[in-house]
Amino acid sequence: MFRMLAGLVMAVMWIFSASAQQPAASSRLDDIIKRGTLRVGMTGDYLPFTYFDKATAKFRGFDVDMAEALGKALGVKVEFVQTAWPQMMKDFEADNFDVAMGGVSITLDRQKKGMFSTPIMREGKTPIARCADKGKFETIADIDKAGTRVIVNPGGTNERFAKANIRNAEIKTWNDNVSIFDEIANGNADLMMTDAAETRYQQKQHAGVLCAVHPEKPFDFAEKAYWLQRDVALKAFVDQWLHIATEDGSYRKIYAAWFD
């Protein structure tokens, strides 16, 4: 009996000793720091969050500034990787970037593939239309009528929301998310349902022509966050960075530059 116990103790000690000698698996956070680069996926077509300027070959926007601030906190350079809404899931699964930023909404389909940071913004879909027609599109029932032309950009939550709620109105697809609002202004579509923050921004860009419809009371609930490759250490760092940025005022400073 004694020999059996002694043998068992020796076996347990050997297992613990072998485990202690095994090097700990590195996290993605470790890899990013070692690499010296944070790869950030962006569509570059969604102001005020992200816009790719072809003339300068550079990104600009709220989440561009936030990405640079995150890179500084990590002590690494930021490499922007251009993607597109219909392609984003495939690019994420292919590990083309460490984090997707640029007005990314939290969805359960995306959650299955990665992890989301602490939400950075509460959002929801609301219409934007020509100011003269603003009162015509207060509700989904007002919008979902034969003869109404709803325009959407493909591949994202705007298209999914429209298809889930519109049965009678016409849904028009426009591939360029930058010029899509000009289609409404020029009378080629009646409205678009998109995130409240975007309607406020585009209202400023098309002052007196386009008006956001009740952006303070959107049709649904949604949140924006940063979509991270599945790594607990990376998520913990990003969440802590966001917490500090919120408390020390640096988040508010970047927000004010694009939304106020």
Side-chain angles (χ1 to χ4, degrees):
M1 184 68 177
F2 176 78
R3 290 180 178 179
M4 289 178 62
L5 288 174
L8 181 60
V9 170
M10 290 294 292
V12 171
M13 290 179 64
W14 182 85
I15 291 172
F16 276 109
S17 175
S19 298
Q21 294 175 17
Q22 291 291 328
S26 65
S27 67
R28 182 174 291 265
L29 176 63
D30 296 327
D31 294 342
I32 290 168
I33 294 172
K34 184 178 180 180
R35 186 200 310 147
T37 305
L38 174 69
R39 300 171 304 155
V40 178
M42 283 192 168
T43 62
D45 64 352
Y46 187 17
L47 282 170
F49 295 98
T50 173
Y51 176 71
F52 181 73
D53 189 335
K54 293 180 180 179
T56 62
K58 292 183 178 180
F59 286 87
R60 60 182 175 86
F62 168 76
D63 274 334
V64 176
D65 292 347
M66 288 294 287
E68 293 289 359
L70 175 56
K72 184 177 180 180
L74 285 164
V76 300
K77 294 181 180 179
V78 176
E79 176 189 342
F80 292 104
V81 180
Q82 190 159 18
T83 183
W85 296 111
Q87 185 69 26
M88 182 179 287
M89 182 75 78
K90 291 182 180 179
D91 287 344
F92 186 90
E93 291 182 288
D95 195 15
N96 290 343
F97 38 77
D98 304 300
V99 53
M101 301 174 71
V104 179
S105 297
I106 296 175
T107 69
L108 294 179
D109 285 341
R110 289 169 179 161
Q111 182 73 47
K112 292 175 186 177
K113 305 296 182 180
M115 307 177 80
F116 279 102
S117 69
T118 300
I120 62 164
M121 200 175 294
R122 181 167 178 156
E123 274 283 29
K125 302 301 180 189
T126 201
I128 181 168
R130 290 181 296 279
C131 294
D133 297 332
K134 180 180 178 181
K136 297 180 181 179
F137 305 122
E138 295 282 339
T139 67
I140 294 290
D142 292 337
I143 295 167
D144 193 20
K145 294 178 179 178
T148 300
R149 300 164 299 169
V150 179
I151 195 166
V152 299
N153 57 309
T157 56
N158 290 339
E159 183 182 36
R160 288 198 290 273
F161 182 84
K163 289 184 175 180
N165 291 278
I166 299 302
R167 297 290 179 269
N168 302 303
E170 177 188 359
I171 298 178
K172 299 179 63 175
T173 301
W174 189 259
N175 290 321
D176 184 5
N177 200 37
V178 176
S179 63
I180 194 169
F181 298 95
D182 294 332
E183 289 297 291
I184 305 170
N186 295 333
N188 298 323
D190 296 311
L191 75 143
M192 179 179 180
M193 292 180 290
T194 185
D195 297 324
E198 186 176 32
T199 66
R200 289 190 179 100
Y201 180 82
Q202 292 298 335
Q203 178 176 255
K204 290 181 180 179
Q205 304 308 303
H206 299 81
V209 179
L210 298 183
C211 286
V213 182
H214 54 62
E216 73 285 353
K217 293 182 180 180
F219 290 140
D220 66 348
F221 163 78
E223 290 178 316
K224 294 194 182 300
Y226 300 138
W227 190 22
L228 309 161
Q229 295 288 352
R230 193 176 285 125
D231 182 75
V232 175
L234 178 59
K235 173 175 166 53
F237 184 92
V238 173
D239 286 348
Q240 188 62 54
W241 163 71
L242 283 171
H243 173 67
I244 293 171
T246 301
E247 294 298 323
D248 69 12
S250 54
Y251 173 88
R252 177 61 194 168
K253 184 177 180 181
I254 296 173
Y255 183 94
W258 292 99
F259 291 96
D260 289 350

